Amino acid sequence: MQSTSHLLMIRPVNFGYNEETAESNAFQHKDKNQQAVQEKALAEFNNFVEVLRQNGVDITVVDDNPHPYTPDSIFPNNWVSFHADGNVFLYPMQAENRRLERREDIISRLEDHFKVHHIVDLSRYEKENKFLEGTGSMVLDREHKIAYACLSPRTDKTVLDVFCEQSGYTAVCFDAADEHGTAIYHTNVLMCIGSQFAVICMDSIPNPHEKVVVTESLKSTQKEIIEISFEQMNQFAGNMLEVKSKNEDTLIVMSESAFRALNQDQKSSLEKYGKLIYADIQTIENNGGGSTRCMMAEVHLPTTN
């Protein structure tokens, strides 16, 4: 199954602009009043969780710890991914303060309801300065076992190949850049894979051959390709996620800024495949440089009952 009704989300206690990640993340913008950012982000987080729960999504919410300092803990999909075969992958992170987000107690808490068969720890590659930041670096077609990845300082081909070898995925790699020619830090800001659709900023892939490879891969898996512009990508219209409600209804989750950036034809195309759900997380997007998809770690593990 491409999507799940079970999500892990981390409630922030020290959210703010992360100086350690800003160099490679052009989506980050520092609010002048950083003291107010945590309070605003917490309100946005709680509202977003409520919107998801009102639509029937099952969420395990874990509170972040005040120490050590982890300003990006609200984005757990970068350090962990959970798979239907019971495997859990832990990932090497570029920023040192993001490495502190990995918490065994979170995995232990999930084991109350889910079966964990094996933990595959790739964080050892941090010693070699090689990184792969989870489902930020990779956009997974779980049904067809394809990992789409734009290579960047945070997405190393060597570690990607190890992930694919351990998980049975095939990698589709490409380079991607924004309208200014700056490398895009994570694949999940330029594309999203649903069960029957793919949202992608094709203009961000400058190499014509790589663009053809990506297009043909998506077409071969019967995805309707919904293209977005640079401007829409910059409003996080590529950073959405298909999830299920507990009643198996399909939901397509995005931020309010992403929803407002889409035109009516794009919304109509998406609405063929699920209900569009959105929430205002502008403070989180501005300071964190990530959006709704980054906040949701999908739990595909088998359940214990």
Side-chain angles (χ1 to χ4, degrees):
M1 297 286 289
Q2 177 64 22
S3 52
T4 177
S5 63
H6 305 289
L7 301 176
L8 166 70
M9 297 180 68
I10 309 297
R11 182 178 283 115
V13 295
N14 279 318
F15 178 80
Y17 181 88
N18 188 350
E19 301 284 355
E20 290 190 25
T21 60
E23 183 178 352
S24 60
N25 184 348
F27 291 80
Q28 283 181 244
H29 305 285
K30 188 175 185 178
D31 283 6
K32 290 182 180 179
N33 185 5
Q34 280 293 299
Q35 288 184 328
V37 165
Q38 160 60 22
E39 183 179 349
K40 291 178 181 177
L42 179 60
E44 291 174 357
F45 175 90
N46 288 335
N47 177 66
F48 181 33
V49 169
E50 183 61 26
V51 168
L52 290 169
R53 285 179 168 160
Q54 286 175 353
N55 284 277
V57 182
D58 180 43
I59 309 171
T60 299
V61 176
V62 177
D63 291 330
D64 188 20
N65 295 320
H67 305 287
Y69 176 61
T70 49
D72 278 332
S73 62
I74 202 169
F75 304 132
N77 80 309
N78 297 138
W79 67 264
V80 67
S81 66
F82 306 98
H83 299 262
D85 59 4
N87 282 346
V88 175
F89 281 80
L90 303 179
Y91 295 99
M93 310 281 281
Q94 184 186 46
E96 290 188 16
N97 63 14
R98 294 219 61 190
R99 300 170 191 178
L100 304 172
E101 296 172 28
R102 292 190 294 261
R103 287 171 50 185
E104 291 182 12
D105 65 298
I106 291 176
I107 298 171
S108 297
R109 177 168 169 179
L110 288 173
E111 286 184 286
D112 292 342
H113 303 286
F114 300 95
K115 298 176 184 175
V116 173
H117 296 311
H118 186 55
I119 296 176
V120 183
D121 189 353
L122 302 178
S123 65
R124 64 187 181 276
Y125 284 98
E126 289 167 352
K127 296 177 181 177
E128 301 177 29
N129 288 318
K130 294 176 180 177
F131 313 109
L132 184 72
E133 298 190 336
T135 53
S137 288
M138 303 176 292
V139 173
L140 301 181
D141 181 336
R142 291 180 182 260
E143 184 182 359
H144 299 95
K145 306 281 268 188
I146 301 170
Y148 294 90
C150 71
L151 302 179
S152 76
R154 302 203 203 175
T155 305
D156 183 87
K157 181 66 164 57
T158 301
V159 193
L160 175 64
D161 288 342
V162 173
F163 167 82
C164 288
E165 182 182 332
Q166 295 277 338
S167 65
Y169 275 73
T170 300
V172 174
C173 299
F174 53 95
D175 292 315
D178 64 18
E179 66 269 40
H180 306 296
T182 302
I184 294 175
Y185 80 110
H186 276 164
T187 314
N188 75 359
V189 296
L190 70 94
M191 72 181 298
C192 157
I193 298 287
S195 301
Q196 297 174 277
F197 68 90
V199 174
I200 184 168
C201 181
M202 281 293 186
D203 290 341
S204 69
I205 306 175
N207 184 303
H209 172 69
E210 291 180 343
K211 191 175 295 190
V212 169
V213 169
V214 172
T215 301
E216 291 304 313
S217 179
L218 294 171
K219 287 182 177 179
S220 72
T221 54
Q222 288 76 53
K223 309 291 186 194
E224 178 183 350
I225 298 174
I226 301 168
E227 290 199 40
I228 58 173
S229 66
F230 279 127
E231 184 178 1
Q232 291 172 322
M233 180 188 73
N234 292 336
Q235 295 299 312
F236 294 100
N239 194 251
M240 56 180 75
L241 183 67
E242 178 187 289
V243 303
K244 293 285 188 182
S245 74
K246 286 176 275 192
N247 294 326
E248 291 299 305
D249 298 319
T250 301
L251 311 172
I252 301 171
V253 183
M254 66 194 76
S255 70
E256 184 175 313
S257 59
F259 179 80
R260 293 185 183 282
L262 296 172
N263 63 42
Q264 191 53 54
D265 286 344
Q266 292 165 325
K267 291 175 184 175
S268 297
S269 294
L270 287 168
E271 285 171 338
K272 291 185 294 186
Y273 305 113
K275 179 182 179 182
L276 306 190
I277 302 296
Y278 58 91
D280 179 6
I281 57 162
Q282 189 171 7
T283 304
I284 295 169
E285 289 177 323
N286 284 348
N287 291 270
S291 189
T292 52
R293 194 277 165 268
C294 309
M295 297 168 66
M296 299 178 284
E298 309 143 276
V299 183
H300 284 267
L301 298 169
T303 57
T304 54
N305 47 8

